[in-house]
Amino acid sequence: MSAPIIEAIETRILDVPLIRPHGFATFTANEQPILLVQVKLSDGSTGFGEGVVPGGAWWGGETVETMQVIVEKYLAPATIGRKASEISGIVHDWERHVANMRFAKAGLEIALFDAYARSLNIPLADLLGGKFRDSLDCTWALGVLPLEQAVAEVEERIASHGHQSFKLKMGSGDPATDVTRIAELVDALEGRVSFRIDINARWDRLTSLRFLPVLAEAGVELFEQPTPADDLDTLREITQRIGVPVMADESVCSPADALAVVKKQAADVVA
């Protein structure tokens, strides 16, 4: 039986309220914008995908508004009319029409997979090779919070959802003050859970080499992108010297970026 044809692609921007303000290194978010992508097939099946970046253009250059234009004006015309089973070929052909724009492409690609799985009447996991596990441990992001509020939220998430790993944002304030805040929080939980930090590429080399060892001594277990995205030499130095796993995030926006980090041995983990 021939696969159904991709007949229509629609997008809609959703501003999803957050349960509390979420502080990043650059600003505080009260909602999470999402580009909802909908793919309709000739057999009546409909699939959904999401294009999401954390808060806006400051992270990687894309926003839900830019994603919407790229999907509707450039990716959709290169997709509509093709078979739902041609996903790999479709995604490959997008590169001839649009450079980069990974999050816009991801939102549409997810919707294509979802639609095709629904047309086959199988779980998407089966289409991708089968389910591997029934549950997944998740790290809960605390953002930038005062000590008392952070402790209360950690306790609440442990009780309600069993979280054992928490991420804290840094980089928006004075480094010494930030480090004291994080160290006090880690100490307050007395080893019951693990903590990691995300500096969103806001520290320079000297700040990182001065304060990251203090955080390591306090018990922080992972450092996410302390230094600017394009400075892999400094990221490598931190990775080699500090003794705590380092994650590259802003430094990796494409497969080529990931390969550069690996070749440079600039990080232990890639987001």
Side-chain angles (χ1 to χ4, degrees), residues 169-228:
K169 292 289 186 178
M170 301 181 71
S172 61
D174 172 67
T177 303
D178 255 359
V179 167
T180 299
R181 171 176 62 90
I182 300 299
E184 289 177 348
L185 177 59
V186 175
D187 182 64
L189 271 293
E190 300 178 327
R192 293 166 52 207
V193 295
S194 65
F195 289 97
R196 57 186 61 188
I197 59 164
D198 181 7
I199 305 174
N200 287 131
R202 296 297 156 176
W203 282 2
D204 58 24
R205 174 179 176 273
L206 293 179
T207 302
S208 297
L209 292 176
R210 176 183 176 186
F211 288 107
L212 290 180
V214 180
L215 290 166
E217 181 67 23
V220 175
E221 297 182 0
L222 182 141
F223 301 144
E224 181 175 345
Q225 196 71 50
T227 51

Side-chain angles (χ1 to χ4, degrees), residues 10 19 32 54 73 84 86-87 98 123 151 182 197 217 229 231 253 259:
E10 300 175 0
I19 62 173
Q32 173 60 61
K73 189 172 182 179
E86 299 178 10
I87 298 174
V98 178
V151 170
I182 300 299
I197 59 164
E217 181 67 23
D231 187 1
C253 293
L259 183 58

Side-chain angles (χ1 to χ4, degrees), residues 5-259:
I5 302 300
I6 301 165
E7 288 193 335
I9 296 171
E10 300 175 0
T11 66
R12 180 169 35 150
I13 292 175
L14 306 176
D15 291 321
V16 180
L18 301 179
I19 62 173
R20 52 144 172 79
H22 188 79
F24 293 89
T26 53
F27 80 112
T28 298
N30 293 293
E31 57 192 16
Q32 173 60 61
I34 293 174
L35 180 69
L36 183 67
V37 183
Q38 185 175 5
V39 170
K40 298 181 179 180
L41 305 183
S42 58
D43 67 353
S45 302
T46 299
F48 295 91
E50 294 180 355
V52 184
V53 292
W58 67 272
W59 187 86
E62 289 186 64
T63 68
V64 289
E65 292 83 8
T66 64
M67 292 182 217
Q68 187 172 49
V69 171
I70 291 297
V71 170
E72 292 186 352
K73 189 172 182 179
Y74 299 99
L75 299 182
T79 305
I80 293 172
R82 300 182 66 169
K83 292 182 179 180
S85 58
E86 299 178 10
I87 298 174
S88 293
I90 292 170
V91 172
H92 179 270
D93 290 344
W94 286 347
E95 299 301 316
R96 297 190 292 112
H97 300 275
V98 178
N100 301 319
M101 301 300 294
R102 308 284 177 190
F103 290 87
K105 292 172 182 174
L108 179 52
E109 183 180 1
I110 293 165
L112 290 172
F113 273 107
D114 188 37
Y116 187 37
R118 291 175 188 273
S119 75
L120 297 172
N121 196 32
I122 61 173
L124 178 54
D126 290 355
L127 184 62
L128 298 176
K131 183 174 66 171
F132 185 76
R133 55 172 62 88
D134 292 312
S135 63
L136 186 69
D137 291 334
C138 293
T139 295
W140 181 255
L142 292 168
V144 179
L145 294 175
L147 177 61
E148 295 78 9
Q149 188 176 346
V151 170
E153 187 165 325
V154 168
E155 295 286 5
E156 188 277 326
R157 298 306 298 190
I158 293 172
S160 63
H161 289 77
H163 286 291
Q164 294 298 306
S165 174
F166 294 85
K167 181 168 82 167
L168 302 111
K169 292 289 186 178
M170 301 181 71
S172 61
D174 172 67
T177 303
D178 255 359
V179 167
T180 299
R181 171 176 62 90
I182 300 299
E184 289 177 348
L185 177 59
V186 175
D187 182 64
L189 271 293
E190 300 178 327
R192 293 166 52 207
V193 295
S194 65
F195 289 97
R196 57 186 61 188
I197 59 164
D198 181 7
I199 305 174
N200 287 131
R202 296 297 156 176
W203 282 2
D204 58 24
R205 174 179 176 273
L206 293 179
T207 302
S208 297
L209 292 176
R210 176 183 176 186
F211 288 107
L212 290 180
V214 180
L215 290 166
E217 181 67 23
V220 175
E221 297 182 0
L222 182 141
F223 301 144
E224 181 175 345
Q225 196 71 50
T227 51
D230 58 355
D231 187 1
L232 294 187
D233 288 329
T234 296
L235 199 62
R236 172 187 166 86
E237 181 181 7
I238 292 168
T239 300
Q240 299 295 320
R241 292 181 61 178
I242 302 302
V244 170
V246 173
M247 175 187 284
D249 185 18
E250 282 88 343
S251 291
V252 180
C253 293
S254 71
D257 290 343
L259 183 58

